[in-house]
Amino acid sequence: MLRIAGCAKKLVGTASFETQVPATRVLSRFYHERVVDHYDNPRNVGSFDKNDPTVGTGLVGAPACGDVMKLQIRVDEKTGKITDARFKTFGCGSAIASSSVATEWVKGKLMEEVVTIKNTEIAKHLSLPPVKLHCSMLAEDAIKAAVKDYLAKRGSATAAGTGEKSATA
Amino acid sequence: MMASKLLLQRRLFRFLQLSPYSLCSFSSSSSIHGSPFHSVKATEISSLSTSSRNFCSQKSNLVDQFHGPAPIDYSSLLQEGDFHRLAESTIHNLQEKFEDYGDSIDLDGFDIDYGNDVLTVKLGELGTYVLNKQTPNRQLWLSSPLSGPSRFDWDQDTKAWIYRRNKAKLYKILEDELEQLCGKTIVLS
């Protein structure tokens, strides 16, 4: 599985951080139980059809940096509420957990609300250590990118319908 | 020679921008112009990628560069070798300053560790700072107990590491936060 392969690769990668740490500090380096839970039981893994007009797709990160997240939202056109979400993440356990949490938190909320989700909230919820705060920022960016994509798609669709040109985001 | 290289770079830029699979970097640059060059595709295109990737760092120059065969200002591009030199010198400077700072304040659990290009500064109960190089993006990444994660790009004009989202300078952030946390000023420049 890509997720496991990605996570295993990243676990190997992160081991280098830990070789410098004396044995007495190893305990504080374990993943928090919430992170382990999201890794063992990830919520909302999967994909929507990105061409579906009710779907917004946020793709952030870069393999060269070690983390890639794809977060998709399904939005109810009439209410602007996010009815469903899916994610796929390549990266470390913290990145997987952050994006899994993100998909949980966006469901049932308005788009205006979810763009206010802060990486600090995700990091706090998962008790992420300092070196992993960047994973939570990635998740925040993924949410924003998904909303932006949905709005851009809707913007061009509306403009196309009325025969006008629109500037895409 | 210059013109053909510029043409190739222009084609490359267009290709990366239009690619449906281009990845948006999570770097501090929120502009579409900036993102494709920080993606994996940029790293696959070896020699050209270094220079083309850095066009995005100079957003204001980008439009100018691609209007006609204007000469490229190579002095403003951050090559990988330069990045390593600048980043390492910044990190070493900070390490020294933090060590002196630690000696001058009486803080329980103060500790500094530097290994694998990662600088970790523990301020006991007050929290931990982590600063590391993110070479693919040519960035320095900071994790702060006060301001969370941030990413800094080298700005040639001001000769400083800048977080594009809020235009903040790395040194200024660290100075302000350390003073706030530990109650004593530190000068990092």
Side-chain angles (χ1 to χ4, degrees):
Chain A
M1 292 289 286
L2 176 69
R3 174 176 69 89
I4 295 168
C7 185
K9 176 188 171 168
K10 208 47 206 163
L11 281 174
V12 169
T14 51
S16 62
F17 282 117
E18 280 148 333
T19 53
Q20 305 295 325
V21 178
T24 49
R25 299 215 186 120
V26 166
L27 279 175
S28 66
R29 294 283 195 155
F30 283 138
Y31 287 111
H32 188 267
E33 58 181 358
R34 278 189 179 149
V35 176
V36 176
D37 179 36
H38 277 275
Y39 177 71
D40 284 340
N41 311 299
R43 324 326 190 211
N44 311 309
V45 176
S47 294
F48 295 136
D49 175 10
K50 67 174 170 22
N51 296 316
D52 185 328
T54 62
V55 168
T57 302
L59 185 59
V60 294
C65 297
D67 287 313
V68 181
M69 280 184 199
K70 185 177 78 167
L71 190 144
Q72 292 180 298
I73 52 173
R74 172 159 279 137
V75 184
D76 181 325
E77 272 187 346
K78 296 187 197 65
T79 60
K81 265 196 187 173
I82 295 169
T83 55
D84 205 0
R86 292 282 183 274
F87 85 98
K88 277 191 179 176
T89 293
F90 165 83
C92 65
S94 301
I96 292 169
S98 297
S99 39
S100 176
V101 164
T103 57
E104 277 193 310
W105 286 6
V106 301
K107 278 194 190 176
K109 295 208 174 83
L110 294 166
M111 285 187 288
E112 298 89 78
E113 280 181 78
V114 305
V115 294
T116 63
I117 292 176
K118 289 265 154 280
N119 63 69
T120 42
E121 294 161 1
I122 299 175
K124 194 170 172 192
H125 179 79
L126 295 170
S127 297
L128 295 182
V131 321
K132 294 298 179 185
L133 294 189
H134 295 282
C135 301
S136 62
M137 181 192 257
L138 199 60
E140 179 192 317
D141 290 352
I143 295 172
K144 293 187 165 129
V147 169
K148 194 172 173 185
D149 178 64
Y150 172 78
L151 292 172
K153 277 162 80 171
R154 245 179 108 232
S156 351
T158 323
T162 58
E164 285 166 8
K165 280 199 177 170
S166 74
T168 50
Chain B
M1 186 70 162
M2 181 86 99
S4 65
K5 192 172 183 184
L6 179 57
L7 185 60
L8 200 50
Q9 284 171 342
R10 244 188 281 176
R11 282 197 195 137
L12 175 67
F13 174 77
R14 256 184 258 128
F15 163 75
L16 288 174
Q17 248 197 338
L18 295 173
S19 163
Y21 301 107
S22 73
L23 303 172
C24 294
S25 160
F26 50 71
S27 80
S28 50
S29 165
S30 54
S31 138
I32 297 283
H33 290 299
S35 47
F37 294 94
H38 295 303
S39 78
V40 64
K41 286 189 161 46
T43 58
E44 285 164 4
I45 305 145
S46 48
S47 58
L48 270 181
S49 71
T50 326
S51 43
S52 60
R53 189 182 352 213
N54 292 296
F55 274 113
C56 67
S57 317
Q58 318 298 328
K59 272 186 286 198
S60 54
N61 293 336
L62 191 56
V63 172
D64 296 330
Q65 301 288 3
F66 287 102
H67 276 164
I72 300 165
D73 179 11
Y74 281 102
S75 64
S76 70
L77 303 179
L78 195 60
Q79 306 291 329
E80 188 167 335
D82 288 343
F83 165 73
H84 285 299
R85 194 178 40 83
L86 283 163
E88 277 159 31
S89 121
T90 300
I91 294 179
H92 284 132
N93 174 50
L94 286 172
Q95 184 186 4
E96 278 178 15
K97 297 268 164 51
F98 285 138
E99 276 168 358
D100 292 340
Y101 189 69
D103 290 337
S104 72
I105 60 170
D106 187 20
L107 185 62
D108 243 0
F110 183 91
D111 188 40
I112 298 185
D113 184 50
Y114 180 60
N116 293 340
D117 293 330
V118 180
L119 177 66
T120 306
V121 182
K122 290 189 167 68
L123 301 175
E125 299 288 309
L126 301 172
T128 300
Y129 283 86
V130 181
L131 183 68
N132 64 283
K133 289 198 296 193
Q134 189 68 4
T135 309
N137 284 358
R138 307 283 188 269
Q139 289 178 330
L140 280 182
W141 281 16
L142 176 72
S143 172
S144 152
L146 283 187
S147 50
S150 38
R151 289 118 198 240
F152 300 85
D153 299 272
W154 178 254
D155 183 79
Q156 287 281 39
D157 300 326
T158 53
K159 297 273 187 279
W161 294 94
I162 309 267
Y163 183 24
R164 291 219 183 103
R165 288 188 194 190
N166 55 20
K167 312 273 191 288
K169 288 187 182 178
L170 171 63
Y171 279 7
K172 180 86 177 40
I173 291 179
L174 289 172
E175 284 171 354
D176 290 347
E177 289 192 7
L178 281 172
E179 182 166 350
Q180 193 183 329
L181 281 175
C182 307
K184 187 167 182 223
T185 3
I186 180 172
V187 177
L188 297 170
S189 317

